Amino acid sequence: MRASAPGKLIVLGEHSVVYGHRAIAASVSRRTTVDLTASPGPTRLADSDIVDDRLLRALRATLPAEGWAVSIRTDLPVGRGMGSSASLSIALLRLRARFEGIEPDFAWLHAEGFALERIFHGDPSGIDHAVSALEGAVVYQRGEAPQPLAMTPMKVVVLDSGSAGNTAELVAGVAARRPGIEPALDRLGELVELAIGSLDDPLALGEAMDEAHALLVQIGVSTPILDDLVALARDHGATGAKLSGAGGGGVVMALCPDGGIELLRAAEARGIPAFLCTLPCGASED
Ligand code: PMV
């Protein structure tokens, strides 16, 4: 038995989404796959790309207590704000739905996903597993149901900073710097509204991403490594680049309508982990 679900990138609107502005996020063509093999005795984790002591709780919350060996594979960077835990949660829920003989619609996946994501993240906004369940681009506003968003698929190069940011600490740091940074947060929200009308234009979207990164620097969530990765992307053909997610580490996303070969080569030459993915990926690509 097998189920899988994709990870995500926040295209625009991280941090300002915490203050009621809208954000755009999209699923990526990298996924987490869970395989179950019949095996006598208690259900156990046979092997996993995601090493996390909370994993067993998530398995216990979703799978039968007896009879299965679980294998977890992901080609997402783990712990980099790309939704590896959310994609795992949605894949596990798809398996649970099969055991329970139900057809998992979005409302069910989103509601049940909160319970699983709380195991990993305490108090998640819900954007990660909403995108993973919907498989596409979404507009997300705190407290509202996520809205699917039409978006022409685009090529994005993801550059890995090599470290993880602590989302809770970064969100608290932004809160502490208010009200001085309020204009920057408002502008981040405005960029989302402007971009919603130009998602099929890589030049306009790239420009919005560049400005968003400058604002994320201003509100104090970027790092010198992330800024270097953004500069590298712009020097090697990206139409725009920004950190994606909470910052403090994690990844940079670079919009590369030409396929990103030049940027991938430049990253490789510097020993920076990088990969190309499609944004948003659709369920049809499974
Ligand atoms: O934790 P990440 O990298 O998926 O991104 C968090 C996005 C924030 O806007 C910073 C926080 C939130 O809850 O929306």
Side-chain angles (χ1 to χ4, degrees):
M1 256 176 144
R2 166 177 286 187
S4 75
K8 67 94 186 43
L9 283 167
I10 297 181
V11 180
L12 287 168
E14 48 273 273
H15 289 289
S16 47
V17 72
V18 174
Y19 300 98
H21 297 284
R22 299 201 290 175
I24 301 169
S27 54
V28 297
S29 49
R30 289 202 160 210
R31 327 177 53 89
T32 300
T33 302
V34 181
D35 276 299
L36 300 185
T37 314
S39 164
T43 293
R44 65 193 167 86
L45 188 60
D47 63 305
S48 177
D49 288 340
I50 301 176
V51 179
D52 190 306
D53 49 16
R54 295 161 292 192
L55 209 54
L56 282 178
R57 274 172 64 201
L59 297 189
R60 270 189 226 118
T62 42
L63 300 176
E66 298 278 326
W68 300 94
V70 184
S71 161
I72 298 168
R73 292 272 157 261
T74 190
D75 53 5
L76 288 159
V78 176
R80 297 285 190 274
M82 284 195 71
S84 56
S85 73
S87 58
L88 171 64
S89 297
I90 295 299
L92 283 172
L93 286 170
R94 290 195 194 284
L95 290 168
R96 187 184 129 194
R98 272 187 239 166
F99 284 112
E100 293 181 7
I102 56 174
E103 191 54 47
D105 62 8
F106 173 74
W108 186 83
L109 288 170
H110 196 231
E112 297 295 327
F114 265 114
L116 281 187
E117 278 286 88
R118 277 191 200 106
I119 293 176
F120 292 106
H121 291 307
D123 185 24
S125 70
I127 189 167
D128 286 22
H129 72 273
V131 175
S132 188
L134 275 172
E135 306 216 8
V138 303
V139 180
Y140 193 83
Q141 187 164 22
R142 240 188 139 138
E144 304 285 329
Q147 299 299 316
L149 180 68
M151 180 174 172
T152 313
M154 285 184 184
K155 300 287 179 203
V156 167
V157 170
V158 175
L159 301 158
D160 190 339
S161 72
S163 69
N166 181 322
T167 301
E169 275 173 21
L170 287 149
V171 169
V174 169
R177 287 188 281 279
R178 291 171 82 214
I181 58 167
E182 208 67 58
L185 290 168
D186 288 346
R187 180 62 185 160
L188 280 165
E190 248 172 59
L191 286 176
V192 171
E193 301 307 321
L194 295 171
I196 284 172
S198 60
L199 281 175
D200 52 356
D201 177 349
L203 290 180
L205 181 57
E207 212 174 291
M209 286 168 53
D210 282 345
E211 188 180 343
H213 186 76
L215 292 161
L216 291 163
V217 171
Q218 222 176 301
I219 67 169
V221 298
S222 192
T223 65
I225 292 175
L226 292 170
D227 296 345
D228 284 351
L229 295 178
V230 165
L232 182 78
R234 289 190 196 133
D235 289 348
H236 291 89
T239 58
K242 61 181 273 292
L243 71 84
S244 178
V251 296
V252 158
M253 60 178 283
L255 204 54
C256 294
D258 64 355
I261 303 289
E262 189 193 328
L263 177 53
L264 288 168
R265 281 206 190 111
E268 196 185 355
R270 288 164 181 73
I272 299 161
F275 57 87
L276 181 69
C277 64
T278 308
L279 187 85
C281 73
S284 56
E285 287 177 56
D286 286 8

